[in-house]
Amino acid sequence: MLRIKNLNKSYGKRKVLQDLTLHINAGEVYGLLGANGAGKTTTINIICNLLEADSGYITVYNQPVSEATKTLIGIAPQENILYKTLSCEENLNFFAKIYGLERRTRQQQIKATLAAVNLLARTKSPVETLSGGMQRRLNIAVALVHEPKLLILDEPTTGLDIEARYEIWDLIRQLKERGITILLTTHLLDEAERLCQRIGILKSGKILAEGSLAELRKRISAKEIAIVQTPDEEQAIARAIDSGFTPRRYGNDLAFWLPQHLELKEILACFEGIPLDSITRKQVGLEHIYLELTRDY
Ligand SMILES: Nc1ncnc2c1ncn2[C@@H]1O[C@H](COP(=O)(O)OP(=O)(O)OP(=O)(O)O)[C@@H](O)[C@H]1O
């Protein structure tokens, strides 16, 4: 439903998007992952026809991006775009008018959208009286009020506490069940892992890898990860390399990629004679794939 091909964008001499190519299937939640400055917001602004690309091609439902395709898209930007002294209803009414919804449709849509984001009880409440999580949900409601086919959520849970985050995750799942296609940008790898059917990993304006988690797992040779705590890391690393394990550091953790599934006793046998405090086995997660694909050699 969204196709982007060879998109390029520079600000002055700085290339921000470089032949960016991706596609999003109808009805899926697609996660666009990238560090600060990778080019996520620039990409979104081009999709929404708010910014012009230097070259490349974007279609939404087979139509090239234009003023007309704006109605197919709803965007909830990183910063809330709400009027704090106005109520939830007044905010939605304002944005629904911008989208040209007739009075009766507006009223229906405001009610339906507030119900969808679980804010019906706060219809008349001024935004400034809502919690941070509620304000974020209202920000998403603004993006939904004109019934878009593609919903873009730019870091929807950044800065929220864990309970508010769970509510947004539930909301995203419900919207997906209603058939809305969602493009989600996030720094949070567990968020992407939980919600997204497909993921694109963006670095310096290029998609490094794209696919489901199962497809992305094939991009690295680890079948499982073992986190090892030992006072003698140097010897453990040397022994692990001899056993065909690949050493990696994840924060303070010393980890080894295992080339195949091994029983705990088989892993222990590899480190025989080396003092070990603990060994924890982990599945290969998006975190490991992301760090590997984006790391600078
Ligand atoms: N109007 C602009 N003029 C010049 N440089 C810009 C402009 N907008 C963005 N940039 C630069 O382009 C790069 C990509 O920015 P962009 O906002 O798309 O990244 P991002 O992946 O959304 O990052 P973040 O996660 O921090 O929002 C950054 O280096 C940014 O400084």
Side-chain angles (χ1 to χ4, degrees):
M1 74 97 55
L2 178 79
R3 287 194 172 274
I4 301 184
K5 202 150 193 278
N6 299 119
L7 202 63
N8 286 286
K9 176 74 189 169
S10 297
Y11 292 111
K13 285 196 174 143
R14 196 192 152 93
K15 266 186 165 269
V16 173
L17 301 183
Q18 303 186 54
D19 279 332
L20 184 130
T21 296
L22 62 83
H23 80 277
I24 303 181
N25 300 315
E28 74 181 1
V29 181
Y30 182 100
L32 187 59
L33 304 186
N36 288 326
K40 302 180 296 292
T41 305
T42 303
T43 308
I44 289 174
N45 286 341
I46 297 173
I47 296 170
C48 295
N49 205 31
L50 300 170
L51 188 68
E52 210 177 326
D54 300 334
S55 61
Y57 194 63
I58 304 192
T59 56
V60 182
Y61 271 100
N62 295 322
Q63 300 173 49
V65 159
S66 67
E67 279 305 292
T69 53
K70 273 188 176 177
T71 56
L72 299 173
I73 301 170
I75 170 150
Q78 259 174 51
E79 303 291 333
N80 291 346
I81 47 166
L82 306 169
Y83 294 93
K84 295 244 171 184
T85 54
L86 298 185
S87 69
C88 295
E89 184 181 41
E90 287 165 338
N91 267 281
L92 289 180
N93 193 45
F94 174 80
F95 288 102
K97 266 188 185 169
I98 293 180
Y99 277 104
L101 268 58
E102 304 267 321
R103 189 184 157 83
R104 182 175 291 227
T105 320
R106 266 200 327 263
Q107 283 169 346
Q108 284 167 357
Q109 272 305 108
I110 290 169
K111 214 170 164 192
T113 315
L114 284 173
V117 300
N118 199 19
L119 283 175
L120 212 44
R122 305 303 296 263
T123 302
K124 304 284 181 195
S125 303
V127 167
E128 59 197 1
T129 66
L130 304 180
S131 69
M134 288 175 180
Q135 293 190 20
R136 280 261 107 182
R137 299 211 303 276
L138 186 63
N139 201 50
I140 295 175
V142 166
L144 288 169
V145 76
H146 62 293
E147 292 194 280
K149 301 239 183 274
L150 172 66
L151 174 66
I152 300 177
L153 302 175
D154 197 359
E155 295 185 23
T157 63
T158 298
L160 295 184
D161 63 36
I162 189 67
E163 281 181 17
R165 192 167 279 174
Y166 281 138
E167 282 169 359
I168 301 266
W169 289 349
D170 276 347
L171 171 60
I172 292 172
R173 289 191 191 102
Q174 285 161 21
L175 294 172
K176 184 198 176 293
E177 270 168 31
R178 281 171 42 187
I180 298 175
T181 308
I182 299 174
L183 167 58
L184 169 82
T185 77
T186 182
H187 296 288
L188 303 170
L189 300 171
D190 65 326
E191 178 166 292
E193 201 166 330
R194 280 163 195 252
L195 297 174
C196 300
Q197 283 67 63
R198 286 171 64 253
I199 289 160
I201 297 178
L202 183 68
K203 187 179 179 190
S204 307
K206 273 189 195 153
I207 292 285
L208 300 179
E210 189 187 54
S212 65
L213 186 57
E215 286 163 343
L216 292 176
R217 276 202 179 108
K218 293 183 189 146
R219 298 292 299 262
I220 68 172
S221 61
K223 292 284 172 287
E224 217 171 40
I225 311 269
I227 311 283
V228 174
Q229 282 192 316
T230 168
D232 194 348
E233 292 194 339
E234 214 170 295
Q235 222 196 326
I237 291 171
R239 189 75 69 74
I241 291 171
D242 282 349
S243 306
F245 304 168
T246 310
R248 286 287 179 267
R249 285 235 170 246
Y250 298 118
N252 284 332
D253 287 344
L254 170 63
F256 297 105
W257 290 6
L258 308 183
Q260 76 246 6
H261 172 80
L262 293 176
E263 296 301 327
L264 188 58
K265 61 174 191 272
E266 295 176 288
I267 303 172
L268 284 169
C270 297
F271 293 107
E272 210 184 320
I274 299 172
L276 296 178
D277 295 331
S278 72
I279 291 189
T280 317
R281 276 182 305 169
K282 275 191 174 178
Q283 262 212 325
V284 177
L286 189 53
E287 171 195 348
H288 309 113
I289 301 163
Y290 178 86
L291 287 172
E292 199 57 27
L293 295 179
T294 57
R295 89 190 180 121
D296 296 310
Y297 287 91

PDB file of all heavy atoms in Angstrom, residues 106-129:
ATOM      1  N   ARG A 106     -18.579  14.896  11.232  1.00  0.00           N
ATOM      2  CA  ARG A 106     -17.618  15.302  12.270  1.00  0.00           C
ATOM      3  C   ARG A 106     -18.037  14.789  13.637  1.00  0.00           C
ATOM      4  O   ARG A 106     -17.254  14.187  14.351  1.00  0.00           O
ATOM      5  CB  ARG A 106     -17.546  16.826  12.323  1.00  0.00           C
ATOM      6  CG  ARG A 106     -16.446  17.386  11.499  1.00  0.00           C
ATOM      7  CD  ARG A 106     -16.025  18.799  11.858  1.00  0.00           C
ATOM      8  NE  ARG A 106     -16.979  19.734  12.348  1.00  0.00           N
ATOM      9  CZ  ARG A 106     -17.610  20.649  11.623  1.00  0.00           C
ATOM     10  NH1 ARG A 106     -17.438  20.689  10.319  1.00  0.00           N
ATOM     11  NH2 ARG A 106     -18.428  21.511  12.188  1.00  0.00           N
ATOM     12  N   GLN A 107     -19.328  15.027  13.948  1.00  0.00           N
ATOM     13  CA  GLN A 107     -19.814  14.613  15.274  1.00  0.00           C
ATOM     14  C   GLN A 107     -19.672  13.098  15.461  1.00  0.00           C
ATOM     15  O   GLN A 107     -19.216  12.626  16.496  1.00  0.00           O
ATOM     16  CB  GLN A 107     -21.271  15.038  15.449  1.00  0.00           C
ATOM     17  CG  GLN A 107     -21.381  16.527  15.744  1.00  0.00           C
ATOM     18  CD  GLN A 107     -22.800  17.047  15.671  1.00  0.00           C
ATOM     19  OE1 GLN A 107     -23.694  16.371  15.141  1.00  0.00           O
ATOM     20  NE2 GLN A 107     -23.012  18.243  16.190  1.00  0.00           N
ATOM     21  N   GLN A 108     -20.057  12.362  14.401  1.00  0.00           N
ATOM     22  CA  GLN A 108     -19.952  10.887  14.486  1.00  0.00           C
ATOM     23  C   GLN A 108     -18.504  10.452  14.656  1.00  0.00           C
ATOM     24  O   GLN A 108     -18.177   9.606  15.471  1.00  0.00           O
ATOM     25  CB  GLN A 108     -20.499  10.251  13.201  1.00  0.00           C
ATOM     26  CG  GLN A 108     -21.994  10.253  13.119  1.00  0.00           C
ATOM     27  CD  GLN A 108     -22.475   9.914  11.702  1.00  0.00           C
ATOM     28  OE1 GLN A 108     -21.686   9.734  10.775  1.00  0.00           O
ATOM     29  NE2 GLN A 108     -23.789   9.847  11.532  1.00  0.00           N
ATOM     30  N   GLN A 109     -17.643  11.067  13.850  1.00  0.00           N
ATOM     31  CA  GLN A 109     -16.233  10.660  13.865  1.00  0.00           C
ATOM     32  C   GLN A 109     -15.538  11.011  15.175  1.00  0.00           C
ATOM     33  O   GLN A 109     -14.701  10.260  15.671  1.00  0.00           O
ATOM     34  CB  GLN A 109     -15.489  11.320  12.695  1.00  0.00           C
ATOM     35  CG  GLN A 109     -15.537  10.526  11.417  1.00  0.00           C
ATOM     36  CD  GLN A 109     -15.037   9.114  11.626  1.00  0.00           C
ATOM     37  OE1 GLN A 109     -15.830   8.172  11.609  1.00  0.00           O
ATOM     38  NE2 GLN A 109     -13.741   8.945  11.868  1.00  0.00           N
ATOM     39  N   ILE A 110     -15.911  12.171  15.739  1.00  0.00           N
ATOM     40  CA  ILE A 110     -15.292  12.583  17.017  1.00  0.00           C
ATOM     41  C   ILE A 110     -15.642  11.552  18.085  1.00  0.00           C
ATOM     42  O   ILE A 110     -14.790  11.082  18.837  1.00  0.00           O
ATOM     43  CB  ILE A 110     -15.756  14.006  17.410  1.00  0.00           C
ATOM     44  CG1 ILE A 110     -15.139  15.024  16.453  1.00  0.00           C
ATOM     45  CG2 ILE A 110     -15.389  14.319  18.863  1.00  0.00           C
ATOM     46  CD1 ILE A 110     -15.698  16.421  16.560  1.00  0.00           C
ATOM     47  N   LYS A 111     -16.908  11.153  18.112  1.00  0.00           N
ATOM     48  CA  LYS A 111     -17.352  10.184  19.111  1.00  0.00           C
ATOM     49  C   LYS A 111     -16.651   8.838  18.895  1.00  0.00           C
ATOM     50  O   LYS A 111     -16.105   8.237  19.831  1.00  0.00           O
ATOM     51  CB  LYS A 111     -18.869  10.000  18.989  1.00  0.00           C
ATOM     52  CG  LYS A 111     -19.523   9.747  20.302  1.00  0.00           C
ATOM     53  CD  LYS A 111     -21.029   9.811  20.156  1.00  0.00           C
ATOM     54  CE  LYS A 111     -21.606   9.163  21.398  1.00  0.00           C
ATOM     55  NZ  LYS A 111     -22.995   8.885  21.314  1.00  0.00           N
ATOM     56  N   ALA A 112     -16.649   8.398  17.636  1.00  0.00           N
ATOM     57  CA  ALA A 112     -16.057   7.083  17.324  1.00  0.00           C
ATOM     58  C   ALA A 112     -14.558   7.086  17.644  1.00  0.00           C
ATOM     59  O   ALA A 112     -14.018   6.108  18.175  1.00  0.00           O
ATOM     60  CB  ALA A 112     -16.281   6.753  15.854  1.00  0.00           C
ATOM     61  N   THR A 113     -13.901   8.201  17.334  1.00  0.00           N
ATOM     62  CA  THR A 113     -12.453   8.254  17.544  1.00  0.00           C
ATOM     63  C   THR A 113     -12.120   8.317  19.033  1.00  0.00           C
ATOM     64  O   THR A 113     -11.185   7.660  19.494  1.00  0.00           O
ATOM     65  CB  THR A 113     -11.855   9.473  16.800  1.00  0.00           C
ATOM     66  OG1 THR A 113     -12.404   9.525  15.506  1.00  0.00           O
ATOM     67  CG2 THR A 113     -10.358   9.379  16.697  1.00  0.00           C
ATOM     68  N   LEU A 114     -12.904   9.110  19.781  1.00  0.00           N
ATOM     69  CA  LEU A 114     -12.656   9.163  21.231  1.00  0.00           C
ATOM     70  C   LEU A 114     -12.886   7.790  21.860  1.00  0.00           C
ATOM     71  O   LEU A 114     -12.163   7.384  22.766  1.00  0.00           O
ATOM     72  CB  LEU A 114     -13.553  10.223  21.888  1.00  0.00           C
ATOM     73  CG  LEU A 114     -13.102  11.667  21.664  1.00  0.00           C
ATOM     74  CD1 LEU A 114     -14.137  12.650  22.208  1.00  0.00           C
ATOM     75  CD2 LEU A 114     -11.743  11.935  22.324  1.00  0.00           C
ATOM     76  N   ALA A 115     -13.897   7.073  21.347  1.00  0.00           N
ATOM     77  CA  ALA A 115     -14.142   5.714  21.859  1.00  0.00           C
ATOM     78  C   ALA A 115     -12.947   4.824  21.524  1.00  0.00           C
ATOM     79  O   ALA A 115     -12.472   4.063  22.360  1.00  0.00           O
ATOM     80  CB  ALA A 115     -15.432   5.155  21.258  1.00  0.00           C
ATOM     81  N   ALA A 116     -12.443   4.942  20.306  1.00  0.00           N
ATOM     82  CA  ALA A 116     -11.324   4.082  19.862  1.00  0.00           C
ATOM     83  C   ALA A 116     -10.097   4.273  20.740  1.00  0.00           C
ATOM     84  O   ALA A 116      -9.391   3.318  21.031  1.00  0.00           O
ATOM     85  CB  ALA A 116     -10.984   4.371  18.404  1.00  0.00           C
ATOM     86  N   VAL A 117      -9.855   5.527  21.178  1.00  0.00           N
ATOM     87  CA  VAL A 117      -8.647   5.765  21.991  1.00  0.00           C
ATOM     88  C   VAL A 117      -8.975   5.767  23.496  1.00  0.00           C
ATOM     89  O   VAL A 117      -8.158   6.171  24.321  1.00  0.00           O
ATOM     90  CB  VAL A 117      -7.913   7.075  21.597  1.00  0.00           C
ATOM     91  CG1 VAL A 117      -7.469   7.030  20.145  1.00  0.00           C
ATOM     92  CG2 VAL A 117      -8.758   8.305  21.879  1.00  0.00           C
ATOM     93  N   ASN A 118     -10.190   5.301  23.808  1.00  0.00           N
ATOM     94  CA  ASN A 118     -10.614   5.143  25.208  1.00  0.00           C
ATOM     95  C   ASN A 118     -10.604   6.470  25.977  1.00  0.00           C
ATOM     96  O   ASN A 118     -10.135   6.533  27.120  1.00  0.00           O
ATOM     97  CB  ASN A 118      -9.712   4.087  25.887  1.00  0.00           C
ATOM     98  CG  ASN A 118     -10.346   3.535  27.144  1.00  0.00           C
ATOM     99  OD1 ASN A 118     -11.561   3.669  27.323  1.00  0.00           O
ATOM    100  ND2 ASN A 118      -9.547   2.942  28.006  1.00  0.00           N
ATOM    101  N   LEU A 119     -11.139   7.513  25.328  1.00  0.00           N
ATOM    102  CA  LEU A 119     -11.202   8.823  25.996  1.00  0.00           C
ATOM    103  C   LEU A 119     -12.612   9.410  25.984  1.00  0.00           C
ATOM    104  O   LEU A 119     -12.791  10.603  26.219  1.00  0.00           O
ATOM    105  CB  LEU A 119     -10.240   9.813  25.307  1.00  0.00           C
ATOM    106  CG  LEU A 119      -8.760   9.674  25.621  1.00  0.00           C
ATOM    107  CD1 LEU A 119      -7.938  10.639  24.774  1.00  0.00           C
ATOM    108  CD2 LEU A 119      -8.478   9.924  27.110  1.00  0.00           C
ATOM    109  N   LEU A 120     -13.601   8.548  25.730  1.00  0.00           N
ATOM    110  CA  LEU A 120     -14.975   9.047  25.635  1.00  0.00           C
ATOM    111  C   LEU A 120     -15.391   9.753  26.930  1.00  0.00           C
ATOM    112  O   LEU A 120     -16.067  10.790  26.884  1.00  0.00           O
ATOM    113  CB  LEU A 120     -15.911   7.864  25.326  1.00  0.00           C
ATOM    114  CG  LEU A 120     -17.141   8.134  24.479  1.00  0.00           C
ATOM    115  CD1 LEU A 120     -16.862   9.016  23.278  1.00  0.00           C
ATOM    116  CD2 LEU A 120     -17.761   6.815  24.033  1.00  0.00           C
ATOM    117  N   ALA A 121     -14.946   9.221  28.065  1.00  0.00           N
ATOM    118  CA  ALA A 121     -15.327   9.813  29.361  1.00  0.00           C
ATOM    119  C   ALA A 121     -14.698  11.195  29.554  1.00  0.00           C
ATOM    120  O   ALA A 121     -15.115  11.950  30.423  1.00  0.00           O
ATOM    121  CB  ALA A 121     -14.892   8.883  30.494  1.00  0.00           C
ATOM    122  N   ARG A 122     -13.692  11.536  28.736  1.00  0.00           N
ATOM    123  CA  ARG A 122     -13.003  12.819  28.894  1.00  0.00           C
ATOM    124  C   ARG A 122     -13.328  13.774  27.735  1.00  0.00           C
ATOM    125  O   ARG A 122     -12.593  14.741  27.511  1.00  0.00           O
ATOM    126  CB  ARG A 122     -11.482  12.596  28.958  1.00  0.00           C
ATOM    127  CG  ARG A 122     -11.029  11.624  30.025  1.00  0.00           C
ATOM    128  CD  ARG A 122     -11.493  12.030  31.425  1.00  0.00           C
ATOM    129  NE  ARG A 122     -10.914  13.300  31.859  1.00  0.00           N
ATOM    130  CZ  ARG A 122      -9.827  13.403  32.636  1.00  0.00           C
ATOM    131  NH1 ARG A 122      -9.251  12.320  33.081  1.00  0.00           N
ATOM    132  NH2 ARG A 122      -9.372  14.591  32.987  1.00  0.00           N
ATOM    133  N   THR A 123     -14.449  13.515  27.054  1.00  0.00           N
ATOM    134  CA  THR A 123     -14.826  14.313  25.879  1.00  0.00           C
ATOM    135  C   THR A 123     -14.721  15.815  26.131  1.00  0.00           C
ATOM    136  O   THR A 123     -14.187  16.558  25.303  1.00  0.00           O
ATOM    137  CB  THR A 123     -16.281  13.961  25.463  1.00  0.00           C
ATOM    138  OG1 THR A 123     -16.331  12.569  25.207  1.00  0.00           O
ATOM    139  CG2 THR A 123     -16.718  14.717  24.230  1.00  0.00           C
ATOM    140  N   LYS A 124     -15.241  16.258  27.284  1.00  0.00           N
ATOM    141  CA  LYS A 124     -15.307  17.711  27.557  1.00  0.00           C
ATOM    142  C   LYS A 124     -14.105  18.223  28.359  1.00  0.00           C
ATOM    143  O   LYS A 124     -14.065  19.399  28.713  1.00  0.00           O
ATOM    144  CB  LYS A 124     -16.589  18.033  28.358  1.00  0.00           C
ATOM    145  CG  LYS A 124     -17.886  17.576  27.719  1.00  0.00           C
ATOM    146  CD  LYS A 124     -18.294  18.485  26.576  1.00  0.00           C
ATOM    147  CE  LYS A 124     -19.616  18.010  25.958  1.00  0.00           C
ATOM    148  NZ  LYS A 124     -19.864  18.628  24.649  1.00  0.00           N
ATOM    149  N   SER A 125     -13.165  17.337  28.672  1.00  0.00           N
ATOM    150  CA  SER A 125     -12.034  17.768  29.515  1.00  0.00           C
ATOM    151  C   SER A 125     -11.019  18.556  28.705  1.00  0.00           C
ATOM    152  O   SER A 125     -10.629  18.132  27.603  1.00  0.00           O
ATOM    153  CB  SER A 125     -11.301  16.551  30.087  1.00  0.00           C
ATOM    154  OG  SER A 125     -12.169  15.741  30.803  1.00  0.00           O
ATOM    155  N   PRO A 126     -10.544  19.691  29.260  1.00  0.00           N
ATOM    156  CA  PRO A 126      -9.449  20.396  28.581  1.00  0.00           C
ATOM    157  C   PRO A 126      -8.210  19.508  28.544  1.00  0.00           C
ATOM    158  O   PRO A 126      -7.949  18.751  29.482  1.00  0.00           O
ATOM    159  CB  PRO A 126      -9.197  21.620  29.467  1.00  0.00           C
ATOM    160  CG  PRO A 126     -10.413  21.751  30.326  1.00  0.00           C
ATOM    161  CD  PRO A 126     -10.992  20.386  30.476  1.00  0.00           C
ATOM    162  N   VAL A 127      -7.448  19.618  27.464  1.00  0.00           N
ATOM    163  CA  VAL A 127      -6.259  18.767  27.278  1.00  0.00           C
ATOM    164  C   VAL A 127      -5.308  18.888  28.465  1.00  0.00           C
ATOM    165  O   VAL A 127      -4.726  17.911  28.921  1.00  0.00           O
ATOM    166  CB  VAL A 127      -5.547  19.158  25.963  1.00  0.00           C
ATOM    167  CG1 VAL A 127      -4.166  18.547  25.875  1.00  0.00           C
ATOM    168  CG2 VAL A 127      -6.396  18.739  24.777  1.00  0.00           C
ATOM    169  N   GLU A 128      -5.183  20.128  29.011  1.00  0.00           N
ATOM    170  CA  GLU A 128      -4.196  20.329  30.086  1.00  0.00           C
ATOM    171  C   GLU A 128      -4.544  19.552  31.362  1.00  0.00           C
ATOM    172  O   GLU A 128      -3.700  19.406  32.237  1.00  0.00           O
ATOM    173  CB  GLU A 128      -4.017  21.824  30.389  1.00  0.00           C
ATOM    174  CG  GLU A 128      -5.276  22.526  30.804  1.00  0.00           C
ATOM    175  CD  GLU A 128      -5.164  24.046  30.689  1.00  0.00           C
ATOM    176  OE1 GLU A 128      -4.117  24.557  30.264  1.00  0.00           O
ATOM    177  OE2 GLU A 128      -6.157  24.716  31.026  1.00  0.00           O
ATOM    178  N   THR A 129      -5.766  19.035  31.455  1.00  0.00           N
ATOM    179  CA  THR A 129      -6.133  18.250  32.650  1.00  0.00           C
ATOM    180  C   THR A 129      -5.889  16.746  32.439  1.00  0.00           C
ATOM    181  O   THR A 129      -6.126  15.952  33.341  1.00  0.00           O
ATOM    182  CB  THR A 129      -7.624  18.457  33.014  1.00  0.00           C
ATOM    183  OG1 THR A 129      -8.429  17.895  31.967  1.00  0.00           O
ATOM    184  CG2 THR A 129      -7.962  19.925  33.201  1.00  0.00           C
TER     185      THR A 129
END
